[in-house]
Amino acid sequence: MEDPTSNPFEFGRELALADLVDREEELAELQRAGRECRKHFLIGPRRFGKSSLLAALEETAGKERGGPIVLRYNAERFSGPDRLARRLVADAAARLPGSVERIAGAIKRLFRSLRPELSYSPDTRSWSASIGVAAAQDALPALADALDGVERMAKDLDRPVAIVLDEFQHLVAGGAQAESQIRAAVQQHRHVAYIFAGSDTRLLTAMVGEAGRPFYRLGSRRFLGPIPRAAFAGFLGRGLAAVADVTDDGIAAILDLAEDVPYNVQLLAHACWEAAREASAAVTRAFVERVNRATAERQNPVYAQLWSSLTMAQQRTLLAIIYQGDEGLASTKVARAYGLPVTTIQRAREALMAKQVVREEASGSRLRLRLEDPLLGAWVRLFIPGPA
Ligand SMILES: Nc1ncnc2c1ncn2[C@@H]1O[C@H](COP(=O)(O)OP(=O)(O)OP(=O)(O)O)[C@@H](O)[C@H]1O
Ligand SMILES: [Mg+2]
């Protein structure tokens, strides 16, 4: 057995294309949408790998001859639509060919209605832009104008541009008006692809799935599910085999305890790799369970704080979800066992979803409740007294 020094399991950052397990189909879909200037929605729970897929799209587009120019943003990081508009203008400048003067001229023409002022820093070879937005109510129209400008640019260059908006729900948080203003711009465009990604599954699902909403049937949709177990198991087995003996049941335990959430799978695999190397132990189910408990323990400050931020009703409802599953959550038997009226449980369940502690997952014809972070379940089982 070799003794590699670097842990092959990574969590918490966008992965590079070469590090992605599976997801070929999802990536091909994004690439097609980019080439064909379509609109595509990528919707999935937190930490399932949305941003990594978007990064992979950007990576492959850069290598593909005639592939789209990818402009990728996380909407969460902009304090308003006008800020995003400004960035679009600056990034458009960075992608145009020619001399600084020529680019500045082209930007003024393409984004005329925004009256952009550009500056170029030769040191960092980067552009920055300011635009004339006076009032808050002009921020969304400014974004729509910037998108129109990108459409003109793509047409001029005769090359598709893909605008990728991660955590897209933040942009339309302004309500129905924001949705319809963005749609009005986007639906006209034929030379720009739009990839909208987001993790507020319920909100986004309603946005694209309800007739009458501006984004209804605007483009194709993909709900990002878990990574197929066979592919993930193969990846885990290869990584762990370099430092320890590995059993199939040990690998299955990693996927079980992490509830197939890709981030949690990598987190637990990372910890197992370290522990197995340290102790020269075999990766069995019992070993994985021990490592998972130790990992939950290390996160004690974080989970303790989360727990104490919940109301008593929310805490008890969470206990019921962890110990009972959500099957009987609406039953009077569970309500009695946890000392809460059924209606209180219902309200607490909604609050736990709003706080992103739990999420709904389609399971056959019904919706099942899952913990957003399965490790929280392990922490609760360790530190909080269970139901009698
Ligand atoms: N295809 C994949 N193969 C292996 N691991 C993955 C994959 N996708 C995601 N992961 C794991 O999940 C982590 C989170 O991925 P990423 O940030 O792309 O997810 P996300 O859905 O954008 O999360 P968030 O909702 O927090 O924005 C990665 O750092 C990695 O550990
Ligand atoms: Mg993300």
Side-chain angles (χ1 to χ4, degrees):
M1 230 177 285
E2 50 181 314
D3 182 26
T5 45
S6 84
N7 195 315
F9 302 111
E10 298 205 50
F11 54 93
R13 68 164 185 91
E14 280 172 14
L15 298 180
L17 177 65
D19 300 325
L20 286 187
V21 178
D22 194 70
R23 302 298 196 212
E24 285 90 3
E25 214 177 289
E26 291 85 348
L27 179 60
E29 244 169 31
L30 293 175
Q31 290 167 326
R32 254 194 322 275
R35 273 196 299 270
E36 295 169 10
C37 297
R38 288 195 281 103
K39 286 117 192 140
H40 183 73
F41 294 84
L42 177 68
I43 303 174
R46 290 224 76 108
R47 296 164 163 185
F48 263 53
K50 300 173 300 296
S51 300
S52 296
L53 263 171
L54 302 180
L57 170 67
E58 192 172 357
E59 197 181 322
T60 54
K63 292 178 191 150
E64 190 187 338
R65 265 196 69 196
I69 295 173
V70 175
L71 302 177
R72 179 161 73 99
Y73 306 99
N74 184 338
E76 219 170 12
R77 309 229 171 103
F78 292 87
S79 59
D82 52 323
R83 296 300 168 113
L84 177 56
R86 226 163 70 178
R87 264 293 293 281
L88 278 167
V89 173
D91 289 351
R95 303 308 173 95
L96 286 173
S99 66
V100 169
E101 291 72 32
R102 206 174 140 199
I103 293 172
I107 291 291
K108 285 214 169 268
R109 176 174 54 80
L110 292 168
F111 297 91
R112 194 176 316 127
S113 57
L114 290 170
R115 286 168 277 120
E117 290 299 329
L118 276 178
S119 59
Y120 179 72
S121 152
D123 291 346
T124 55
R125 294 184 174 192
S126 62
W127 289 90
S128 55
S130 66
I131 54 175
V133 179
Q137 70 266 23
D138 297 332
L140 262 172
L143 176 59
D145 285 351
L147 298 175
D148 288 341
V150 175
E151 164 76 5
R152 282 190 288 271
M153 170 176 123
K155 203 169 160 195
D156 275 12
L157 290 176
D158 197 21
R159 188 172 163 196
V161 174
I163 296 184
V164 177
L165 291 170
D166 201 357
E167 301 300 350
F168 166 64
Q169 68 277 6
H170 285 268
L171 257 190
V172 290
Q177 218 198 350
E179 270 179 53
S180 50
Q181 287 193 26
I182 294 176
R183 187 203 159 108
V186 159
Q187 81 184 127
Q188 312 281 344
H189 299 162
R190 295 291 170 269
H191 302 85
V192 178
Y194 286 92
I195 312 288
F196 301 111
S199 54
D200 193 336
T201 324
R202 214 186 198 189
L203 186 143
L204 278 179
T205 305
M207 215 173 88
V208 301
E210 282 174 8
R213 296 282 289 262
F215 280 85
Y216 181 60
R217 293 207 175 144
L218 183 64
S220 47
R221 284 180 273 174
R222 160 72 71 165
F223 292 96
L224 197 60
I227 292 165
R229 275 203 164 200
F232 228 158
F235 167 78
L236 295 174
R238 283 190 298 278
L240 288 164
V243 289
D245 289 329
V246 187
T247 67
D248 288 346
D249 197 38
I251 300 285
I254 295 179
L255 295 166
D256 289 344
L257 292 173
E259 298 188 10
D260 298 281
V261 177
Y263 172 96
N264 289 76
V265 171
Q266 293 255 19
L267 174 75
L268 183 51
H270 186 101
C272 287
W273 189 93
E274 295 291 340
R277 193 176 61 148
E278 196 82 355
S280 309
V283 180
T284 59
R285 182 169 288 266
F287 176 83
V288 173
E289 281 168 354
R290 268 200 310 281
V291 173
N292 194 49
R293 278 195 299 272
T295 310
E297 235 174 285
R298 269 202 301 282
Q299 294 296 315
N300 186 35
V302 177
Y303 293 131
Q305 193 177 12
L306 170 65
W307 180 259
S308 62
S309 76
L310 302 176
T311 65
M312 192 184 71
Q314 289 161 12
Q315 290 176 346
R316 289 189 187 175
T317 303
L318 187 56
L319 286 177
I321 293 167
I322 289 169
Y323 285 99
Q324 249 60 65
D326 62 328
E327 289 269 358
L329 216 53
S331 76
T332 43
K333 187 162 153 258
V334 169
R336 212 174 299 122
Y338 287 83
L340 294 171
V342 172
T343 52
T344 305
I345 292 186
Q346 283 311 314
R347 267 203 310 278
R349 182 186 192 279
E350 289 299 312
L352 289 171
M353 279 202 287
K355 289 185 176 180
Q356 301 202 332
V357 176
V358 300
R359 64 184 167 88
E360 282 175 336
E361 181 179 272
S363 159
S365 61
R366 64 182 285 276
L367 288 170
R368 211 177 132 197
L369 274 191
R370 308 299 304 260
L371 291 180
E372 288 254 2
D373 176 3
L375 198 54
L376 171 65
W379 178 86
V380 166
R381 284 175 191 275
L382 271 178
F383 289 101
I384 305 295

